[in-house]
Amino acid sequence: MIPGSLKYGATISFIIAALAFIYKRHQDEVLQERLRDVLSGLLRAEKKGHTEKQKIAVAFGACEDVLVNGLDLLNFMNVSAPTKVHHHDSINTIADLTETMAYFFQHGAAAERYISNRTLFNMLVDAALKQEGVRRLLGGNAPVIGKRLSMEGLDVVLGGRMAKSLAGTLPKEMQVIGEPVEMSDTHLILEYKTGDKWGQFACPRANRFIIHADQINPVLDGLEDFISKVETYNPALIVIGGLQMMDNFPFEKGVREARLAKLRSFLQKVPKETHVHFEMASFIDESLLRDIVDNVVVYSDSLGMNEQELPNLASILEGGNVTLVSDSYPRVATVLDQMRTVYGLLSNTKEVDGKRKLTRIHVHTLAFQAIMTSKTSTWKNTMSSAAKAALTAHRYTCGEYDIDTFKARLIMDESFSLSKTADSERILVQDKRPVACWQENDYDMCVSPVLVCTKILQTAGGGDNVSGAGLVLQV
């Protein structure tokens, strides 16, 4: 026989559990309603933009990506987590690899590094190809951006050298400029997920560590063929990327400078009516980044970058240093202030010798997309472009065009400050009209929340797909 006090206690516990269940279900329903509202708003905003079949020329950095779970690969090779983190500019040993990867893993930051030991690199790739679930995909800034632009209906030519087998994965409408090679450069993408544990280290967000031993991309092989094609192609937009492949590559004296000078000479002659977009990437060699600013950035009127690359560019422009890791979840206000810094320094460039005033910046983060365009420029559909970039971020990382809100979450706050200054105005994110746009000084700004994918298929290539999608409606 159960005493009455125990019966009473059990009844109370049951009621509390039932109420907790009902409350959680209600909260889940409220969250799903909000996610559906945001998705509907983004889809409406995306459809407001109109795509024109413009001619686009993109280069460089063609490669084959080999994607694998990084921790599974290292476990397969009996490689343990390091006892310390230490950043290495280039990688020559397994210890260099694990210490450098751990450095970025603990911050959930993306990074890309050159492996000087080709024997080690080939051993890693061979082991990766034996992993269950390994994927081999088209990689490199230009091919991935170009493929996105082509899939969205634009006319694209691609500058870069790759094997015929890799070129065969491109849309048939795309034209590859540059003689084929027997074997494409390969990038090994070591992916990791939010919450992954590796020894004493924990990863705060999904990302990847990329290693390569490129021989073709660092020297911009195919540059001359690309220049020759563009001179007769008359594109509306030229996209330059892949220059991070030069980072820590063992050039012979003067070769890097000569190749960048050749690229600069080409950009100086691009007609003013043709837009030039430069896609940033992860750099650790400050001298290289300064050379790229002097030879490429000041000859571009559009820039694309992520939350790691933006503060580095702002720092270099102000005479500072490269920071290896920055906040992987930056506040909107922080990003907006950094965008203003970059815009303020580059929009006043004197238009002499082919240099251009910066008129567009697209910053893509995990939580949101931010696009700034000059009021006097010909860039259009900024709101729709921000929405399209946000939707593409989810579609690509989840590997599905149709977005399932049960595979999504919102990281961006329900409101944000326009600046870190004390008296800054706050903007409320409206669920049914989620893209916030406003005007400042001589530019327009739009910020869109991202429906972050919770069932991730891939992260590598995400930034290039998002940048490409952001350009589709603006050219």
Side-chain angles (χ1 to χ4, degrees):
M1 186 172 180
I2 302 176
S5 58
L6 291 179
K7 284 184 179 180
Y8 178 77
T11 301
I12 292 297
S13 297
F14 174 79
I15 292 172
I16 291 173
L19 289 173
F21 174 79
I22 293 170
Y23 177 76
K24 183 180 185 304
R25 186 170 65 178
H26 173 70
Q27 290 296 99
D28 290 344
E29 289 173 352
V30 170
L31 175 59
Q32 278 300 308
E33 183 179 2
R34 185 184 182 213
L35 291 173
R36 287 192 293 269
D37 284 344
V38 171
L39 174 58
S40 295
L42 290 176
L43 291 172
R44 285 194 302 272
E46 179 186 34
K47 290 177 182 177
K48 288 182 179 180
H50 176 66
T51 303
E52 296 183 13
K53 193 173 179 62
Q54 299 279 18
K55 291 181 177 180
I56 316 293
V58 297
F60 301 89
C63 68
E64 178 183 47
D65 281 347
V66 175
L67 293 86
V68 69
N69 183 293
L71 302 188
D72 287 350
L73 172 62
L74 295 176
N75 287 335
F76 174 79
M77 299 178 67
N78 295 316
V79 175
S80 302
T83 57
K84 63 175 182 176
V85 298
H86 182 74
H87 175 260
H88 298 271
D89 289 347
S90 64
I91 293 167
N92 189 55
T93 67
I94 281 289
D96 294 345
L97 172 65
T98 58
E99 290 172 359
T100 306
M101 179 172 160
Y103 182 93
F104 295 100
F105 177 89
Q106 66 181 347
H107 297 287
E112 190 166 1
R113 291 296 175 265
Y114 174 74
I115 286 193
S116 54
N117 184 336
R118 289 190 62 82
T119 300
L120 171 61
F121 181 72
N122 291 336
M123 181 180 70
L124 289 163
V125 172
D126 289 344
L129 293 174
K130 296 175 184 176
Q131 299 299 299
E132 183 178 351
V134 64
R135 285 167 291 141
R136 304 175 72 166
L137 302 173
L138 174 76
N141 296 109
V144 175
I145 292 176
K147 182 177 181 179
R148 170 56 55 186
L149 294 168
S150 179
M151 289 168 59
E152 299 287 350
L154 283 73
D155 186 346
V156 180
V157 297
L158 168 65
R161 302 190 65 193
M162 63 181 78
K164 289 182 178 179
S165 57
L166 188 61
T169 66
L170 293 166
K172 64 180 187 306
E173 298 83 5
M174 281 182 67
Q175 181 182 358
V176 179
I177 309 302
E179 290 296 317
V181 294
E182 184 176 339
M183 181 177 295
S184 302
D185 281 336
T186 299
H187 291 189
L188 182 56
I189 317 296
L190 304 176
E191 298 193 305
Y192 35 83
K193 301 184 292 292
T194 303
D196 273 355
K197 300 290 195 302
W198 187 33
Q200 62 182 309
F201 310 106
C203 180
R205 60 162 284 191
N207 227 314
R208 71 276 181 190
F209 184 60
I210 304 175
I211 50 179
H212 72 93
D214 283 9
Q215 300 298 306
I216 300 169
N217 292 320
V219 296
L220 305 184
D221 206 351
L223 172 59
E224 286 74 16
D225 291 335
F226 180 70
I227 292 172
S228 178
K229 174 63 179 180
V230 171
E231 288 175 347
T232 59
Y233 181 60
N234 192 29
L237 170 69
I238 295 171
V239 179
I240 302 296
L243 301 189
Q244 73 275 16
M245 296 299 98
M246 292 180 156
D247 208 299
N248 281 291
F249 183 78
F251 288 101
E252 293 184 7
K253 185 176 180 180
V255 171
R256 187 185 84 185
E257 293 78 7
R259 297 309 282 163
L260 286 174
K262 181 80 174 182
L263 177 56
R264 180 192 68 225
S265 178
F266 159 65
L267 294 174
Q268 286 176 315
K269 299 171 185 175
V270 173
K272 285 295 181 183
E273 59 269 21
T274 297
H275 284 303
V276 176
H277 172 85
F278 175 58
E279 189 66 20
M280 285 283 294
S282 173
F283 293 94
I284 56 171
D285 185 338
E286 290 182 8
S287 66
L288 171 61
L289 186 50
R290 294 182 196 283
D291 284 348
I292 287 174
V293 168
D294 293 339
N295 289 280
V296 181
V297 171
V298 296
Y299 297 95
S300 305
D301 46 18
S302 172
L303 299 175
M305 64 203 82
N306 66 20
E307 74 282 350
Q308 302 286 322
E309 297 148 10
L310 173 62
N312 271 341
L313 178 59
S315 176
I316 287 294
L317 290 173
E318 292 185 308
N321 302 317
V322 167
T323 301
L324 295 175
V325 174
S326 56
D327 188 355
S328 58
Y329 291 102
R331 310 295 293 184
V332 177
T334 300
V335 169
L336 295 180
D337 283 344
Q338 291 169 342
M339 291 174 73
R340 293 182 185 104
T341 296
V342 171
Y343 181 83
L345 292 169
L346 294 175
S347 64
N348 292 317
T349 300
K350 292 184 178 180
E351 296 180 291
V352 295
D353 299 326
K355 292 181 179 179
R356 296 174 177 237
K357 294 180 181 295
L358 183 67
T359 56
R360 179 181 182 273
I361 306 176
H362 178 186
V363 177
H364 41 91
T365 81
L366 181 67
F368 61 90
Q369 304 288 319
I371 300 180
M372 168 191 286
T373 53
S374 169
K375 293 177 184 177
T376 59
S377 70
T378 59
W379 301 107
K380 54 183 184 290
N381 299 321
T382 304
M383 181 197 65
S384 295
S385 294
K388 187 174 189 66
L391 291 167
T392 301
H394 180 103
R395 288 164 176 160
Y396 179 80
T397 52
C398 265
E400 298 173 339
Y401 183 83
D402 294 325
I403 295 175
D404 181 353
T405 55
F406 285 96
K407 297 180 181 178
R409 64 183 176 126
L410 287 167
I411 296 178
M412 183 177 169
D413 294 334
E414 295 182 10
S415 67
F416 61 89
S417 296
L418 295 184
S419 172
K420 291 193 297 182
T421 56
D423 58 347
S424 173
E425 180 185 349
R426 289 194 70 84
I427 297 289
L428 178 67
V429 178
Q430 302 178 50
D431 294 346
K432 294 184 178 180
R433 300 183 64 186
V435 185
C437 296
W438 66 95
Q439 294 185 336
E440 294 183 23
N441 300 321
D442 63 336
Y443 53 85
D444 298 318
M445 183 78 78
C446 287
V447 172
S448 172
V450 172
L451 291 166
V452 181
C453 175
T454 58
K455 302 292 183 182
I456 294 172
L457 173 67
Q458 58 205 357
T459 60
D464 293 328
N465 271 275
V466 170
S467 274
L471 288 165
V472 167
L473 300 176
Q474 294 217 262
V475 183

